[in-house]
Amino acid sequence: MWKCCHWCRGLLRLPALDSALVSSPTRNHRCFSYSSSAHLLLRHLISPLSTAISSAAMTTSAAAAATANTTVWDTKTQQFHGGQDWKFLDNFVEDFSVTTNCLGTPVKAIQAARDAVATCHHYPPANQEPAKSSLAEWIWPEHWENNRERLLLGNGASELIDLVIRSAPQGSWKAGPWDVQYKEYQRSAETNGRDILSPKGDDKANVVCIVNPCNPTGDYKSIDELKAWILNNVQDNGVVVIDESMQIWVGPDFRQDSMTAETEFLEKTYRERNISIYVIHSWTKIWSCTGLRLGSIVCPTVAHCVELKRIQVPWSVNSPALAFLDEVVRDTEYLEETWRVTPIYRAQLIERLETLANGRSWEYFGKPYLSWVWADLKDVETAEKAVALAKQAGVPVRSGKPGYERPTFVRIAVREVKQTDILFAAWKDL
């Protein structure tokens, strides 16, 4: 039986382990398929082989990057992003620097992606089907056929962000009203020569981008609050981009508070003020598949979608990513478990941070259902030490300094207790 294991990052055919599998998925070491006994046996069997393979796989360029303090970004031209340290840590355990789902990658979906590799001698379908229709039916269970042609898939949210910002009218750009938000939107705006307005100011911009829920701060606007903010902050004939990548964590009723459900509002705003509202999702966080690069955009009208498709490079979403998406939207059990355990693990994480603070005035930000904690340690030296100790222990966290320019902050992903134990063991003297 083929099963996925995050620890070995592969699929192994181990019939001898079938008896150790359980009927319902468990969450041992980011693997949504194995029981604890099966996972421990798997590690025992392949650990020496895995170590040898990992050592052999370190190319000259990778070794050079590791020597250079694992700086893999071109800091002069690229926007810093978390999730890069794991490849260069010999003792890597878990990545707390990325806000992916604590359950790991859904096993059926990753199997579908692996199966699709066998078709790599063919081009992916240019119409992105059947994955696009499957996602449309997941987003709009009752009206998906009416909305499907307003949906476009992309190579992660990053490609779609760039498409919208490049195609929007020239002029000013404004971020959401948060202290700081995901910086790729601003990078794209600056690259395209836009005037950057203060997110706290009253000036209206002709392009506004709001991340909701906000990564990293964890702030969130309800749908009514979001509508009001849009109408008060964008100029007529302008463009709005709403990033709802983390909005699925709201819970089973997330669709009711999503702009994707507000078709009438999108049409009215476009008709009366010629404001084009787009909704972007990166699907790599909720389904823990950042290496696949998978995103989507819901356009205000079919005509808007056609225009984006006109400037999008062909086949930007590859066959494994399309197969993954087509399968993962059917995994209702995975999402139900996500909504059940994430608030529990997150509350436990904050409790442990409060204990570690030992009277210090640390602050913790974000809604209780989100997959991370944005923590202000109030001191640059303490924050830098926390980042360094976590990395040394093989459990990297995201510093608030690069990109976000919040040097007293760290962002800590919500993870299982056993993995979090390792992080806090590293921080015992913090």
Side-chain angles (χ1 to χ4, degrees):
M1 180 180 294
W2 289 99
K3 290 290 175 180
C4 164
C5 178
H6 176 85
W7 179 78
C8 66
R9 296 184 180 83
L11 291 173
L12 299 178
R13 191 172 183 83
L14 296 175
L17 292 184
D18 288 353
S19 61
L21 297 178
V22 293
S23 57
S24 62
T26 60
R27 303 171 304 283
N28 287 285
H29 204 92
R30 307 271 288 149
C31 179
F32 200 63
S33 65
Y34 270 111
S35 67
S36 180
S37 58
H39 191 269
L40 290 174
L41 178 56
L42 178 63
R43 291 195 65 167
H44 176 73
L45 288 172
I46 70 170
S47 181
L49 177 61
S50 175
T51 302
I53 292 174
S54 297
S55 298
M58 178 72 80
T59 63
T60 303
S61 59
T67 302
N69 198 27
T70 67
T71 301
V72 297
W73 297 100
D74 181 344
T75 56
K76 294 181 179 179
T77 60
Q78 291 181 305
Q79 176 61 51
F80 180 86
H81 200 288
Q84 294 293 306
D85 289 331
W86 67 272
K87 191 174 180 64
F88 307 106
L89 298 178
D90 293 336
N91 63 336
F92 175 75
V93 178
E94 182 49 73
D95 197 345
F96 284 79
S97 73
V98 292
T99 55
T100 49
N101 196 315
C102 63
L103 298 182
T105 311
V107 68
K108 291 182 181 179
I110 202 170
Q111 179 63 65
R114 288 182 177 276
D115 290 344
V117 173
T119 69
C120 67
H121 56 298
H122 296 295
Y123 282 104
N127 63 358
Q128 305 176 332
E129 296 290 0
K132 188 173 81 169
S133 288
S134 296
L135 179 62
E137 189 170 5
W138 184 82
I139 294 173
W140 302 284
E142 297 179 1
H143 307 289
W144 67 274
E145 291 178 300
N146 297 332
N147 292 301
R148 175 180 52 193
E149 299 310 312
R150 295 195 296 120
L151 179 66
L152 184 66
L153 306 183
N155 191 264
S158 298
E159 181 198 16
L160 301 168
I161 292 167
D162 186 63
L163 286 178
V164 176
I165 300 300
R166 278 197 289 126
S167 63
Q170 282 299 315
S172 56
W173 178 91
K174 187 176 185 178
W178 323 123
D179 175 57
V180 66
Q181 69 175 25
Y182 178 53
K183 301 293 284 188
E184 186 62 25
Y185 290 94
Q186 183 166 334
R187 182 209 64 79
S188 183
E190 290 173 345
T191 299
N192 284 276
R194 298 186 179 278
D195 297 325
I196 309 301
L197 303 182
S198 169
K200 301 294 186 180
D202 296 328
D203 293 335
K204 292 183 178 182
N206 75 322
V207 178
V208 299
C209 299
I210 179 170
V211 181
N212 192 52
C214 179
N215 195 349
T217 67
D219 293 299
Y220 181 67
K221 285 189 176 294
S222 68
I223 192 64
D224 290 334
E225 293 172 329
L226 182 59
K227 289 177 182 178
W229 184 86
I230 289 170
L231 296 177
N232 290 328
N233 284 275
V234 64
Q235 299 173 3
D236 289 356
N237 309 309
V239 170
V240 178
V241 182
I242 305 166
D243 188 322
E244 291 191 349
S245 298
M246 317 307 289
Q247 200 265 344
I248 294 82
W249 266 280
V250 165
D253 297 326
F254 72 93
R255 292 178 183 87
Q256 298 176 18
D257 211 39
S258 168
M259 190 60 76
T260 59
E262 297 294 325
T263 304
E264 184 176 329
F265 173 76
L266 300 185
E267 292 175 347
K268 180 180 179 181
T269 307
Y270 181 62
R271 183 176 63 251
E272 295 182 355
R273 294 183 55 184
N274 198 32
I275 294 174
S276 302
I277 302 175
Y278 298 83
V279 184
I280 281 182
H281 289 91
S282 166
W283 298 113
T284 63
K285 306 303 188 300
I286 188 65
W287 286 312
S288 192
C289 59
T290 51
L292 282 180
R293 311 309 310 132
L294 187 59
S296 69
I297 187 166
V298 177
C299 302
T301 69
V302 174
H304 285 78
C305 200
V306 170
E307 287 305 308
L308 289 188
K309 195 182 300 183
R310 194 186 309 279
I311 62 174
Q312 183 182 37
V313 297
W315 309 297
S316 67
V317 185
N318 62 36
S319 297
L322 289 173
F324 180 97
L325 180 60
D326 188 47
E327 177 63 39
V328 79
V329 293
R330 311 175 202 279
D331 197 340
T332 56
E333 184 180 8
Y334 180 87
L335 285 180
E336 289 169 358
E337 186 70 353
T338 297
W339 295 322
R340 185 185 74 83
V341 303
T342 304
I344 296 173
Y345 291 159
R346 191 180 188 280
Q348 293 172 349
L349 174 58
I350 291 178
E351 288 177 4
R352 298 182 74 163
L353 285 167
E354 290 173 339
T355 300
L356 182 65
N358 193 27
R360 287 174 285 185
S361 57
W362 295 358
E363 287 189 89
Y364 319 104
F365 301 90
K367 297 297 183 182
Y369 46 74
L370 291 174
S371 62
W372 74 93
V373 172
W374 182 235
D376 185 359
L377 307 189
K378 302 295 183 177
D379 177 74
V380 173
E381 184 178 350
T382 303
E384 290 179 348
K385 184 177 180 181
V387 172
L389 290 173
K391 186 174 180 178
Q392 290 170 13
V395 284
V397 298
R398 170 67 156 93
S399 168
K401 182 178 180 179
Y404 295 135
E405 298 178 352
R406 300 295 182 272
T408 66
F409 283 79
V410 293
R411 190 185 66 192
I412 311 158
V414 171
R415 294 290 181 255
E416 294 178 353
V417 175
K418 290 182 179 180
Q419 297 152 352
T420 307
D421 285 345
I422 298 170
L423 176 63
F424 279 84
W427 281 352
K428 65 181 186 300
D429 297 323
L430 187 63

